[in-house]
């Protein structure tokens, strides 16, 4: 069973960059899709970006397009979310998730990491 451990959150200022990492253990993730989600206080759990098992196909929420980049390094069993031009509205707890390619449900979740962007 795959387990996901996140790192890289923190407090930054508006306009700064931050990279989140999602290290998988227990099994290789080459055949897993990876998703990044976030939840701000009082708001819904929103999807931010996804990358498919091949790392060739990515999808982004409109709110982060052009600012965030999702990637996947199968050799390191790690996925990343590079965030640039951060805005206060990006403040949230960020989660990575994994699912076996071609399945529908995100079944494996990281522990979450706080990202706070001050204005």
């Amino acid at each position: 069973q795959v387990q996901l451990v996140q790192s890289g959150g923190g407090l930054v200022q508006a306009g700064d960059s931050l990279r989140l990492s999602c290290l998988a253990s227990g099994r290789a993730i080459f055949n897993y899709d990876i998703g990044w989600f976030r939840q701000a206080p009082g708001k819904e759990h929103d999807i931010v970006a996804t990358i498919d098992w091949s790392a060739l196909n990515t999808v982004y929420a409109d709110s982060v397009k052009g600012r965030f980049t999702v990637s996947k390094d199968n050799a390191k069993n790690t996925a990343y979310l590079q965030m640039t031009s951060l805005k206060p509205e990006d403040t949230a707890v960020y989660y990575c998730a994994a699912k076996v390619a071609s399945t529908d449900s995100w079944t494996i979740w990281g522990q979450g990491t706080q990202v706070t962007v001050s204005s």
Side-chain angles (χ1 to χ4, degrees):
Q1 177 72 336
V2 175
Q3 295 179 322
L4 303 177
V5 177
Q6 298 179 227
S7 61
L11 172 63
V12 296
Q13 294 186 332
D16 284 351
S17 298
L18 202 59
R19 188 176 78 163
L20 305 183
S21 298
C22 179
L23 172 64
S25 64
R27 194 165 183 174
I29 59 168
F30 67 91
N31 62 331
Y32 283 76
D33 301 332
I34 299 295
W36 286 93
F37 298 77
R38 67 186 180 187
Q39 186 166 27
K43 294 192 175 181
E44 295 287 324
H45 199 224
D46 293 329
I47 193 164
V48 175
T50 64
I51 185 166
D52 77 346
W53 68 275
S54 70
L56 294 177
N57 300 297
T58 57
V59 178
Y60 296 92
D62 288 343
S63 58
V64 307
K65 277 181 184 176
R67 300 188 298 121
F68 289 13
T69 302
V70 59
S71 61
K72 185 171 175 268
D73 187 335
N74 288 331
K76 294 183 178 179
N77 234 31
T78 303
Y80 304 95
L81 183 68
Q82 178 69 49
M83 305 183 291
T84 64
S85 301
L86 281 160
K87 304 175 181 179
E89 50 264 44
D90 294 318
T91 296
V93 177
Y94 284 72
Y95 298 88
C96 64
K99 63 180 181 70
V100 175
S102 79
T103 61
D104 294 331
S105 299
W106 298 97
T107 56
I108 304 163
W109 291 83
Q111 81 277 17
T113 186
Q114 177 70 46
V115 172
T116 303
V117 184
S118 64
S119 56

